[in-house]
Amino acid sequence: QVQLVESGGGLVQTGDSLRLSCAASGVTWSRFAMAWFRQAPGKEREFVASNSQRHGTTYYADSVKGRFTISRDNTKNTMILQMNSLKPEDTAVYYCAASGTIILSQLTLQSGYNYWGQGTQVTVSS
C-alpha cells in the first residue's frame, strides 16, 4: 500500500525559504516518478515540479523555476522541495504525488499520478 506523507509547511514572510518533505512508503522508489502540485484558495490545482529517475527528467513550472528545487533522498525514500525567495502568490496547499506507471508526456499532469498525499499548507505573508 502506497502512502505519501508531506511535512514542512508553515507561515513565512516574503523572501523566506521553506523545505517541504514527502515521505513515501510502499513504493519501488527508483521506479516511481514523484511530483509536487499546489492549490491556492479558489484556484485549480497546478503543477509545481516533478522528478522521474526512470525517465531521467526533472521539470519545473515557469512560476517557480530558479527559486524551487526538487530532490530525492534515496536512502530515506523521501522527496524534498526546497523553496527559496518565496512570494505571496506561492501561498497554497502543497501536495506530493507519485506514480509507478506514468509515461513521459504525463509528468507535469495531475492525471499521470495515482497516489497523493494529504497536503501541507504554505502561507507567505507580504
Side-chain angles (χ1 to χ4, degrees):
Q1 182 179 357
V2 175
Q3 286 191 320
L4 304 174
V5 180
E6 302 101 332
S7 61
L11 172 63
V12 297
Q13 295 185 332
T14 298
D16 285 350
S17 298
L18 267 180
R19 185 172 183 263
L20 303 184
S21 297
C22 172
S25 58
V27 302
T28 305
W29 182 245
S30 63
R31 292 198 56 79
F32 267 64
M34 304 293 295
W36 290 97
F37 289 80
R38 67 186 182 185
Q39 187 166 20
K43 294 189 177 181
E44 298 286 322
R45 190 175 299 187
E46 65 176 4
F47 170 76
V48 175
S50 68
N51 173 268
S52 173
Q53 294 180 169
R54 180 161 58 92
H55 296 94
T57 60
T58 298
Y59 295 116
Y60 294 96
D62 288 342
S63 59
V64 307
K65 207 170 290 184
R67 299 187 298 122
F68 291 11
T69 303
I70 188 172
S71 62
R72 299 165 72 128
D73 182 341
N74 293 332
T75 65
K76 298 179 181 178
N77 283 15
T78 297
M79 177 176 64
I80 305 296
L81 184 68
Q82 178 65 43
M83 306 186 294
N84 298 329
S85 302
L86 283 162
K87 305 175 182 180
E89 51 263 44
D90 295 318
T91 295
V93 178
Y94 284 71
Y95 296 92
C96 170
S99 173
T101 57
I102 199 168
I103 60 175
L104 186 61
S105 61
Q106 295 177 312
L107 286 170
T108 63
L109 304 177
Q110 293 184 59
S111 59
Y113 297 88
N114 47 353
Y115 300 105
W116 292 83
Q118 80 287 351
T120 185
Q121 176 70 46
V122 172
T123 303
V124 184
S125 65
S126 57

